[in-house]
Amino acid sequence: MAGAATPEPGLFEHLRSRQFLFMLPRAVSLQLMHPAISAAMLEHSPSPGFVWLHKQRSVPPTIDMAFDPHPESWIPRRIVVTHDTIRGTDADGHRYHSLDPQVFHFQHATYVDSLFETITRFRGPLDAGERRSVYASCCRWYRAYGISDAPLPPTVEDFDAYFRDRTGALAVTPALTRYRGQLLRPRQWWPAAVPAGAIRTFLHPVAARALGVRPSAIDRAVSAAFTSASSLG
């Protein structure tokens, strides 16, 4: 399949790090602000009421897909099998389907944003060339799913504009309200190892505002200590 993901060294490898899993509250809080993803989480989760048990089941296989040398042999089929029945009506009365490329790509985009943030927080800022390289790998990762790549921004600069626009249109949803406590104080999986103060600083500003979070100086100090102790190689 053209554009398939391939194993490669470099910054993209941090997608497989525990630090990326520490950063997941950033991605998941944004996902739960999307009306279709909110409805799907409430109606179709195999772990109802436990957002991190749900993500513990779904995120590791998604990461593995990024490094499979032959994704065309099984990944598109698995994506269809696991997502085709996830459909319904969101809180605004609009029909949704999890295989809608716009919905599917937004969820992927939250992981791309969190990967950039993981590297920046735990290793240090990326220069322009590094950002382009990481984003190119993320594009190959997305194409491995076999979903239409029509929503996929071609460059990292286009991705920045896309993500700014999409996050700016998000709002508080029933799922964000229901899972607020679990997002800010995880009790399962790797996010449970992250101090609450650090999580508050990890949140995307849009999600932080929606969750009523304003990181304090103490939060920033806790976050700095945690990221330093858990730094990437």
Side-chain angles (χ1 to χ4, degrees):
M1 182 173 74
T6 56
E8 57 186 271
L11 292 169
F12 188 62
E13 289 285 345
H14 294 318
L15 179 64
R16 296 197 281 199
S17 69
R18 73 181 187 279
Q19 289 83 358
F20 176 73
L21 302 179
F22 290 157
M23 190 61 65
L24 284 177
R26 180 183 179 93
V28 175
S29 57
L30 290 173
Q31 291 169 14
L32 295 184
M33 293 181 69
H34 189 290
I37 299 173
S38 166
M41 185 69 189
L42 293 176
E43 297 172 10
H44 296 281
S45 173
S47 304
F50 297 95
V51 67
W52 294 116
L53 294 182
H54 173 90
K55 291 300 177 180
Q56 186 175 11
R57 291 165 58 103
S58 63
V59 172
T62 302
I63 292 172
D64 289 343
M65 292 174 187
F67 298 93
D68 193 287
H70 302 291
E72 69 281 2
S73 67
W74 67 279
I75 291 176
R77 182 172 63 255
R78 173 173 175 147
I79 292 293
V80 170
V81 167
T82 56
H83 289 77
D84 190 48
T85 60
I86 303 176
R87 61 180 77 198
T89 304
D90 67 25
D92 298 322
H94 300 128
R95 300 290 295 173
Y96 72 87
H97 193 298
S98 66
L99 289 175
D100 178 336
Q102 297 292 340
V103 175
F104 204 93
H105 178 262
F106 176 75
Q107 180 156 292
H108 170 83
T110 66
Y111 293 133
V112 175
D113 166 74
S114 288
L115 177 59
F116 281 134
E117 195 71 11
T118 298
I119 299 169
T120 299
R121 296 289 188 110
F122 289 94
R123 191 216 65 154
L126 292 85
D127 63 30
E130 289 173 332
R131 293 191 84 245
R132 285 193 294 270
S133 176
V134 171
Y135 183 67
S137 296
C138 289
C139 289
R140 289 192 289 274
W141 175 23
Y142 181 78
R143 292 188 177 104
Y145 300 141
I147 302 295
S148 169
D149 65 359
L152 188 65
T155 70
V156 71
E157 292 81 11
D158 293 326
F159 173 82
D160 292 340
Y162 160 88
F163 204 67
R164 185 166 54 249
D165 289 346
R166 292 300 184 274
T167 55
L170 298 175
V172 175
T173 64
L176 189 78
T177 299
R178 177 173 183 179
Y179 292 115
R180 181 182 186 278
Q182 293 184 41
L183 292 169
L184 297 178
R185 290 183 178 273
R187 292 292 182 263
Q188 294 89 27
W189 201 33
W190 282 100
V194 184
I199 287 179
R200 288 191 287 271
T201 72
F202 288 173
L203 294 174
H204 189 282
V206 167
R209 287 193 295 271
L211 291 166
V213 169
R214 296 182 64 182
S216 66
I218 293 175
D219 291 337
R220 288 189 285 274
V222 168
S223 182
F226 176 74
T227 54
S228 176
S230 307
S231 61
L232 290 162

